[in-house]
Amino acid sequence: MSALMQLLRSYFPKWCLPRSDRQLQKHLQHHIFRQLQTNQLTNVLVDIKPSEQVLPKCRFMQYRRMNDHVKRLGMVSEDGNKMVELSSITCAASNMMDFIQQRYCMDSLLDSVQYMTVQDVDAVDLHLLPPIDNPGKIIGIDCNYVDNCDEQHISIPKEPSFHVKFANSITGALDNIRSHNLARHIDYGCQLAVVIGKKCRDVTKKEAFNYVFGFMVVQDILARDRSAVLGGHPMDTFLPLGPTIVHRCHIPDINNLWIKTIVNGEQRQTGNTKNMIFKVDFLIHRLSQYITLCPGDIILTGTPAGAGAYRQPSSFLKPGDLIESEIQNLGKMCNKVVNSYS
């Protein structure tokens, strides 16, 4: 029976799944939304009145309702219990890329929430999509944590080294990661992702955060095989994103968030963004000196120690593995590794 369910999950659309399997998917969604309230900084929660926690804040998600092909834009509350649909009752665009380009006033949006229909997340039969799925650029940085350099026995870099991924790599916070027939050494690395909000070129470090829309969790999957093209970064489904994009106004200190990766129940990575070698403002500054950054562009900021390649013995991902990726204040993802495309 389990093999049949796996076959159904792999080859049939979500709305064709048996009810029991859809309930499993809904249970996972329930789990990751509840995670929004369990990984907050204590002092941040103290400052939020209980009455305010139930209203959706600027945590944006993309989703489809079951039996519906229309992409929708929603906003989730701090505690993960409540949501509003923006795309049908406001002037907000129906997808994240267009919404970012609208440069919607967050204060006005929050003021108008009290007049919207607020729903229980559990009551909405939805399929969670990647919070952004067609960015113009996805740029990652190599070796941006001190402990990651230490585990590789390399010197701390004096200048950042970048690589690129493409939109075909993107998948959702609950979606499967597909292994590849030509990749035998598939590695993981939980990272903080920066989503650019405004077009910028040659900005200073002091100005950098003015051009940020928000932040999210990513799991940067990598094929370390020597034969892998483009460094093994841009393969299909190798960039789970989500579950939401949190607007920068809700992250008081981006340089002090803990990061975790758990594989099959075993904690593999634990770190903190304060240990970045090149901070977010510097990365935006440096990249903008060479290229124009546009709304929706994604910057991956590096991963702490604990990648499978540097464990003793090495431990790469294989079909059947379950990866849980989590960053404080941003949320959690759960992705299963499955067999490659036939």
Side-chain angles (χ1 to χ4, degrees), residues 85-96:
E85 182 177 308
L86 300 177
S87 47
S88 63
I89 56 176
T90 68
C91 297
S94 60
N95 66 84
M96 187 63 69

Side-chain angles (χ1 to χ4, degrees), residues 103-274:
R103 295 173 63 178
Y104 212 103
C105 176
M106 294 299 130
D107 289 338
S108 297
L109 185 59
L110 289 175
D111 287 342
S112 62
V113 167
Q114 58 186 312
Y115 305 110
M116 299 180 187
T117 301
V118 179
Q119 298 175 282
D120 290 333
V121 171
D122 294 341
V124 181
D125 199 4
L126 61 86
H127 171 63
L128 191 65
L129 301 173
I132 189 168
D133 49 19
N134 57 341
K137 294 182 282 294
I138 306 171
I139 305 169
I141 180 172
D142 304 309
C143 303
N144 196 31
Y145 280 77
V146 174
D147 56 355
N148 183 230
C149 294
D150 291 342
E151 71 177 352
Q152 298 182 60
H153 307 292
I154 60 176
S155 301
I156 295 176
K158 296 181 179 180
E159 290 291 332
S161 173
F162 297 101
H163 62 265
V164 296
K165 294 179 83 89
F166 306 114
N168 63 281
S169 300
I170 292 175
T171 193
L174 295 172
D175 294 335
N176 292 334
I177 299 167
R178 286 196 172 272
S179 61
H180 287 254
N181 291 327
L182 298 178
R184 295 291 181 267
H185 301 93
I186 300 176
D187 214 344
Y188 52 83
C190 188
Q191 303 194 22
L192 167 75
V194 181
V195 181
I196 297 297
K198 294 189 291 185
K199 187 176 182 179
C200 62
R201 179 76 166 85
D202 202 17
V203 300
T204 65
K205 287 175 58 179
K206 186 177 181 179
E207 298 171 324
F209 281 106
N210 294 331
Y211 296 92
V212 172
F213 176 80
F215 305 95
M216 61 181 170
V217 185
V218 304
Q219 182 59 249
D220 186 12
I221 305 299
L222 166 68
R224 294 192 181 274
D225 305 75
R226 292 183 179 180
S227 60
V229 297
L230 299 174
H233 288 280
M235 292 184 173
D236 293 349
T237 73
F238 270 27
L239 192 67
L241 304 177
T244 63
I245 296 177
V246 182
H247 192 265
R248 69 175 192 269
C249 66
H250 288 307
I251 308 296
D253 186 5
I254 199 64
N255 293 316
N256 189 20
L257 303 176
W258 49 255
I259 300 175
K260 293 180 183 178
T261 298
I262 297 173
V263 179
N264 300 331
E266 176 189 7
Q267 186 164 298
R268 298 283 185 88
Q269 287 186 296
T270 179
N272 193 292
T273 56
K274 67 184 177 183

